[in-house]
Amino acid sequence: MRCSADVGNAAHECYSNPDHSAIAETVLSVFSKMMATTGCAGFFLSLTLALFLNAAPILLQGQTDSAAGAVIELNRVRSSSALPNGIDVRDGDARMQIVALRDNVVRIRVSRSSELAEDASWAVLKEARQSTVAVIPDNTPNAVGFHTQALTVSINRQTFALTISDRNGTVLQKDVRPTEFHGKSFRVYKSMPLDEHYFGLGDKPGPLDRRGQAFTMWNTDAYAFQESTDPIYKSIPYFMAFRSGRAIGVFLDNTWRTSFDFGKQSSDTYSFGSVSGPLDYYVFYGPTPKQVVETYAWLTGTTPLPPIWALGFQQSRYSYTPQARVLEVANRFRTDHIPADVIYLDIDYQERNRPFTVDRNRFPDFSGMIAELASENFHVVAITDLHIAKYPGHGYAPYDSGLAGDHFVKNPDGSIYSGDVWPGPSVFPDFTRAQTREWWGGLYQEFSKQGVAGFWNDMNEPAVFKTPTKTMPENVVHRIDEPGFIKRSAPHAEIHNMYGMQNSRATFDGLQRLNPDLRPFVLTRASYAGGQRYAATWTGDNSSTWNHLRLATPMLENLGLSGFTLSGADVGGFVGTPQPDLLTKWIEIATFQPIDRDHTEKGSGDQEPWVGGAEPEAIRKRFIEERYRLMPYLYTLAQEASRTGMPIERPLFLEFPDAAGDHHPIDVDPEAAGEFLLGPDILVAAPPYPDRLDTYTVEFPSAKWYDYWTGQVVPKPAPKADRDPNDPPSSTDLVSLTTSIHPEIATLPVFVRAGAILPIAPLTQSTNEIPQGPLTLRVYLGDECSGHLYLDDGKTYAYKTGASLQMDFGCEVNPSGLRIRIGEHKGPYPAWWREIRIEIYGWSPSKRRARLNGGNIEATMDVSPGKVALTIPDNGRGEVLELE
């Protein structure tokens, strides 16, 4: 009907804004009912449209903030003033302040009034927020702004549009329409070029590239989430934009419910906003993706160097009980000689699911069990959910001491909020109070004394049962009492997204106070930007399906880009029992991922590596063993992450931003969807769809790679004889090297970058064992040849006072042969080896002669096709090996 179409057009603007949509739906519902009975008389249509257009702003105002006034847009520069490090610009009462923290980092704060929001942050480090550089003002008839050595910031006088460019004039980010405030909510709109790609936002399910999708940041207990589920457990309002080899980072520092739209609503616009709170965001320039990652780490911190055992194989389920079953599982690992370091205890070790208790019927000698496991080199990680059982009058110390210290979250009327979780009625610590976090950390004292090695903070979105929102009400009251913040009350709507982060912070800080010399290990499910400073994480309650194995790779890659360098996905899947081949393939792939934890839910089948018989066990064991041989490389990556924020698991474009001829990120190619890098040198090429039996193509991001398992150079493919030169190029035409793989359950294609030198250790059954034998250096010849090794005691903070060992390696081919440099031992920490075995791939000797530090040596040189190996002493002073 004509009138129906007219009504739809009139309401279009309301539907295009999420703050208007509920009103539009109500109005259209009324229209539909009235038109069904009265028809489309012109008088009625005119009247109803007039009522709608006049009433909508009033309805909107009442829905969002009755005292806030009408919609505000920043659309004209009325006045501006230069600052030593930026500019302050006004449009009536509205205000924008832009300051440069570094030459490549600007902070943009916008307010609907002349007062900016409180200058405080749970995410951005104080020293970063207070950093500053001098700028040079730019003032023209058309624009105001400034420039640094790296960036130009310009605000159009007539439209208030903000444009950020590099110093060569390349536009990096540009407003496409005015910033809008709708009551307390706001939204920022940016131009979205056709060839720009977006990464980050943490572990959202779906493709690696966020383009064409929209997301909400609201920490949610998302049991059995699927590919389209949103939101899930973490809120990390940060993304990287990548275009033509250049990258910028954008971080919206707002803990309220936020949302991001990368062209889903409008194909040429991306936008972000929040229902409330400050409009405070950072834009930082690479130009390389790695520089963006390092800058984000400078802003929000890095993952601390973990204890080395956290990189070992971890076995878990919901739940290993009773005590005898825990010991049985540990014994089976040692009997079958499958390396492992960690066993987890889920909630059933507790008395009636009450945190910080032990069920003495199921675990009659808890401390004895911990000691026995430790004697077998197992570390125990115990779950401690943040909900405290509401159990007065029974001597339950966490509740009694929390009540006495006034540590629990309150209802608006001042009473203590209570909600049902695993123990039944429960109360919740107010982690926005520094004194509450200190109290919480002290609750670990007894477990710490008994030797529990790490702790697992689950259910900390926070999850609450028997509520439609699956969490506590948004009007529950928190009391912010934190250095650097104004002391005030805040609704849960403001605190929700960083509540789990503060839970893991309280745990981490408490463990540090209890054992100042030991590095804590904390695993958290929910978190916020900056939460990587306190905990490792995992992707939550995934499913035992092939699709969830596929989803794990982009989820972990985006977590790594978002600061969480130490992360994993439940190996085998949490929800359900995996098919035997699925468990095998998942164990294979997880071997090369940061956290390698096998975990499953109550009621599912057994999921340990030996399940299914000797044949699958042998395959799984072989891959777990390979992880332990790679431990020197893994631990070196963890140390790099602690310094720079560089992920352990990486998308290909992070190391190779110019891999494709047209400079698009190679990871968005369908052929590369299953691929990822372990550090800079190892490429894991799982199938794009791991359950398919079809041959698939592996795209390489550079011209020369070696097979990890055989050491053979990957051959260049023959040109296609039937290729029509008039056909447009495909993605594989734009990369330098490809190969075809036929998938097999017992194998996983893994490759090594030409020029890499990988440190490899003799096999151990746990990271507590001292490797016996030489350190192996696998040298893969390439144009640039280098490697690095980091080592310390793997447990304490002694490395901070210099108790570590670092070595650099290099090689070069010259007219007389091959020259390999083995760096001196930098640092006093003793090496576990006295000899180094050198394995060289991609080079053959002509004379089989070796010289060490200028003198001839009697080393036996093993030569086979594509490989040369020999063993030399290592006295720690540095060696130069020359081969002919």
Side-chain angles (χ1 to χ4, degrees):
M1 297 173 62
R2 171 75 181 274
C3 57
S4 177
D6 291 340
V7 171
N9 292 334
H12 174 76
E13 284 300 313
C14 273
Y15 269 116
S16 69
N17 188 303
D19 295 315
H20 296 194
S21 60
I23 300 165
E25 288 176 9
T26 301
V27 173
L28 285 179
S29 176
V30 173
F31 284 172
S32 298
K33 291 177 182 177
M34 295 180 70
M35 286 188 292
T37 58
T38 63
C40 299
F43 170 80
F44 171 74
L45 180 58
S46 300
L47 176 61
T48 52
L49 285 176
L51 288 171
F52 171 75
L53 295 174
N54 282 280
I58 299 171
L59 291 169
L60 175 63
Q61 178 180 335
Q63 178 173 313
T64 56
D65 182 11
S66 58
V71 173
I72 293 177
E73 294 183 348
L74 278 71
N75 51 28
R76 186 179 180 86
V77 174
R78 309 290 178 179
S79 64
S80 65
S81 55
L83 304 173
N85 62 339
I87 192 169
D88 200 298
V89 189
R90 311 292 179 104
D91 182 2
D93 289 335
R95 178 182 180 187
M96 175 186 284
Q97 184 184 92
I98 309 176
V99 296
L101 309 185
R102 283 178 162 182
D103 285 320
N104 67 328
V105 183
V106 293
R107 180 186 184 189
I108 300 110
R109 302 169 70 197
V110 188
S111 174
R112 57 176 295 133
S113 69
S114 60
E115 296 296 323
L116 295 173
E118 177 187 2
D119 188 5
S121 176
W122 300 101
V124 180
L125 299 171
K126 180 180 178 181
E127 53 268 32
R129 274 191 303 113
Q130 294 182 350
S131 179
T132 185
V133 295
V135 304
I136 300 174
D138 296 322
N139 199 335
T140 71
N142 296 323
V144 295
F146 62 86
H147 65 267
T148 70
Q149 292 184 19
L151 298 174
T152 296
V153 174
S154 177
I155 305 165
N156 187 287
R157 291 181 181 273
Q158 300 302 316
T159 65
F160 218 101
L162 169 65
T163 301
I164 299 175
S165 309
D166 68 14
R167 294 292 290 133
N168 294 321
T170 301
V171 173
L172 305 173
Q173 190 188 69
K174 182 178 182 179
D175 286 353
V176 73
R177 56 186 279 193
T179 296
E180 297 176 355
F181 289 90
H182 298 264
K184 289 183 178 179
S185 71
F186 63 80
R187 196 144 202 94
V188 177
Y189 302 88
K190 303 291 184 179
S191 175
M192 191 175 79
L194 287 173
D195 58 344
E196 192 159 80
H197 304 269
Y198 306 93
F199 308 95
L201 301 184
D203 54 345
K204 299 288 191 181
L208 179 68
D209 187 0
R210 306 305 192 190
R211 188 180 179 97
Q213 303 172 78
F215 303 92
T216 297
M217 299 290 155
W218 185 252
N219 291 2
T220 302
D221 180 1
Y223 174 82
F225 67 86
Q226 295 304 315
E227 189 161 4
S228 59
T229 304
D230 185 67
I232 59 170
Y233 304 96
K234 281 172 279 292
S235 294
I236 307 177
Y238 157 76
F239 65 90
M240 177 192 296
F242 181 91
R243 182 189 184 201
S244 300
R246 296 186 182 89
I248 64 168
V250 181
F251 172 50
L252 173 62
D253 194 3
N254 181 297
T255 62
W256 296 72
R257 186 190 297 263
T258 57
S259 60
F260 293 77
D261 185 318
F262 296 99
K264 186 165 187 174
Q265 184 180 62
S266 176
S267 62
D268 60 356
T269 302
Y270 73 82
S271 66
F272 52 88
S274 177
V275 299
S276 191
L279 175 42
D280 184 357
Y281 69 104
Y282 299 77
V283 178
F284 36 101
Y285 183 39
T288 70
K290 293 180 75 170
Q291 289 170 309
V292 169
V293 167
E294 290 173 343
T295 301
Y296 181 70
W298 174 76
L299 283 170
T300 64
T302 62
T303 300
L305 183 61
I308 192 170
W309 56 260
L311 299 175
F313 186 77
Q314 306 182 12
Q315 186 63 50
S316 180
R317 78 164 293 125
Y318 171 31
S319 291
Y320 283 128
T321 185
Q323 178 174 318
R325 175 60 175 157
V326 179
L327 296 173
E328 177 189 8
V329 170
N331 182 64
R332 181 67 182 269
F333 272 101
R334 296 298 178 241
T335 300
D336 287 12
H337 300 287
I338 301 174
D341 268 85
V342 185
I343 289 183
Y344 279 72
L345 299 179
D346 211 320
I347 60 175
D348 290 315
Y349 81 91
Q350 302 169 138
E351 183 180 359
R352 299 183 183 181
N353 296 332
R354 295 170 189 149
F356 300 100
T357 67
V358 174
D359 185 332
R360 296 299 175 181
N361 293 319
R362 294 174 175 172
F363 293 83
D365 185 11
F366 186 79
S367 59
M369 180 192 72
I370 300 298
E372 184 174 346
L373 290 168
S375 71
E376 294 294 327
N377 290 326
F378 279 101
H379 301 80
V380 173
V381 175
I383 200 168
T384 50
D385 291 339
L386 56 73
H387 44 258
I388 297 296
K390 188 177 181 181
Y391 196 51
H394 291 81
Y396 177 46
Y399 178 79
D400 293 343
S401 62
L403 188 65
D406 193 23
H407 292 306
F408 300 132
V409 171
K410 305 286 185 69
N411 289 307
D413 64 5
S415 61
I416 295 175
Y417 169 75
S418 174
D420 277 5
V421 206
W422 294 120
S426 302
V427 292
F428 298 80
D430 191 352
F431 293 113
T432 60
R433 304 172 74 239
Q435 55 269 48
T436 295
R437 295 198 304 274
E438 185 173 358
W439 160 80
W440 172 269
L443 296 177
Y444 290 94
Q445 183 171 10
E446 186 60 27
F447 281 155
S448 182
K449 285 181 179 178
Q450 292 173 330
V452 178
F455 295 93
W456 173 17
N457 294 155
D458 200 357
M459 305 292 287
N460 55 354
E461 290 73 31
V464 180
F465 301 158
K466 302 178 183 177
T467 67
T469 64
K470 300 195 287 188
T471 191
M472 62 177 65
E474 293 187 16
N475 65 348
V476 163
V477 179
H478 297 261
R479 293 157 291 160
I480 297 176
D481 191 352
E482 168 76 6
F485 285 76
I486 296 171
K487 191 174 181 179
R488 62 181 175 88
S489 295
H492 184 69
E494 177 183 350
I495 303 304
H496 177 86
N497 280 343
M498 43 74 66
Y499 187 69
M501 169 189 177
Q502 296 306 306
N503 168 219
S504 58
R505 176 187 183 186
T507 304
F508 182 88
D509 290 347
L511 296 176
Q512 278 193 322
R513 286 191 297 270
L514 291 169
N515 286 295
D517 293 332
L518 286 181
R519 302 175 216 169
F521 176 75
V522 181
L523 185 72
T524 187
R525 189 168 75 176
S527 198
Y528 179 67
Q532 68 271 7
R533 303 194 295 262
Y534 314 114
T537 193
W538 86 107
T539 60
D541 294 344
N542 61 356
S543 297
S544 298
T545 67
W546 289 97
N547 193 46
H548 272 250
L549 172 57
R550 181 178 68 88
L551 290 177
T553 290
M555 292 179 77
L556 294 179
E557 288 175 316
N558 272 318
L559 269 173
L561 293 174
S562 304
F564 281 86
T565 59
L566 201 60
S567 58
D570 284 345
V571 174
F574 178 74
V575 180
T577 303
Q579 302 167 26
D581 284 354
L582 171 60
L583 178 59
T584 299
K585 187 57 65 177
W586 211 318
I587 286 176
E588 292 174 9
I589 294 172
T591 289
F592 301 94
Q593 294 177 333
I595 294 285
D596 190 4
R597 182 180 80 143
D598 183 333
H599 183 50
T600 189
E601 69 176 340
K602 183 176 289 189
S604 65
D606 287 345
Q607 201 164 291
E608 295 78 26
W610 50 82
V611 170
E615 185 175 349
E617 179 183 6
I619 299 170
R620 299 162 189 164
K621 176 183 177 180
R622 177 164 55 86
F623 276 86
I624 295 171
E625 287 176 340
E626 199 62 33
R627 182 178 183 89
Y628 279 76
R629 292 188 179 96
L630 272 171
M631 197 58 66
Y633 180 70
L634 274 169
Y635 194 58
T636 300
L637 294 177
Q639 194 267 345
E640 180 190 19
S642 72
R643 290 185 294 105
T644 68
M646 204 55 55
I648 295 173
E649 178 171 340
R650 307 175 185 180
L652 277 60
F653 79 85
L654 192 62
E655 291 290 336
F656 301 93
D658 297 314
D662 61 357
H663 304 290
H664 76 269
I666 187 174
D667 305 81
V668 305
D669 294 349
E671 293 85 357
E675 300 176 29
F676 63 90
L677 294 169
L678 178 63
D681 296 325
I682 295 178
L683 188 154
V684 180
Y689 294 90
D691 53 336
R692 287 185 180 173
L693 304 178
D694 308 285
T695 297
Y696 63 97
T697 298
V698 175
E699 285 189 355
F700 293 92
S702 58
K704 186 176 181 181
W705 290 77
Y706 293 79
D707 187 303
Y708 175 84
W709 307 108
T710 68
Q712 298 299 307
V713 175
V714 176
K716 292 186 178 297
K720 294 181 180 179
D722 58 348
R723 170 68 193 273
D724 186 339
N726 296 319
D727 288 344
S730 66
S731 60
T732 54
D733 296 322
L734 298 174
V735 296
S736 55
L737 181 65
T738 63
T739 193
S740 294
I741 299 291
H742 185 74
E744 297 178 1
I745 198 61
T747 62
L748 178 68
V750 181
F751 304 93
V752 184
R753 184 207 311 232
I757 301 179
L758 299 183
I760 306 294
L763 179 63
T764 62
Q765 293 300 299
S766 83
T767 58
N768 265 8
E769 292 184 12
I770 298 174
Q772 302 299 309
L775 171 71
T776 296
L777 297 180
R778 293 183 184 171
V779 180
Y780 299 87
L781 264 292
D783 293 337
E784 296 181 3
C785 185
S786 64
H788 181 72
L789 172 66
Y790 175 85
L791 181 68
D792 61 27
D793 65 20
K795 301 174 183 177
T796 74
Y797 285 107
Y799 72 91
K800 289 194 171 184
T801 56
S804 63
L805 183 153
Q806 297 194 56
M807 297 175 68
D808 293 303
F809 315 107
C811 71
E812 58 187 25
V813 177
N814 54 46
S816 61
L818 177 63
R819 190 170 187 262
I820 298 175
R821 300 181 308 278
I822 299 171
E824 64 176 317
H825 294 195
K826 298 177 183 177
Y829 189 78
W832 47 258
W833 63 89
R834 293 293 177 267
E835 294 180 315
I836 295 179
R837 175 176 170 81
I838 299 174
E839 298 178 356
I840 304 159
Y841 299 93
W843 180 83
S844 296
S846 58
K847 300 178 181 179
R848 298 197 179 191
R849 187 163 59 193
R851 293 170 60 83
L852 186 64
N853 300 325
N856 293 327
I857 58 173
E858 296 280 336
T860 300
M861 192 182 300
D862 298 327
V863 180
S864 59
K867 177 182 175 181
V868 178
L870 73 164
T871 300
I872 62 172
D874 178 28
N875 59 23
R877 294 191 294 269
E879 316 287 348
V880 177
L881 177 66
E882 296 173 289
L883 303 176
E884 297 179 275

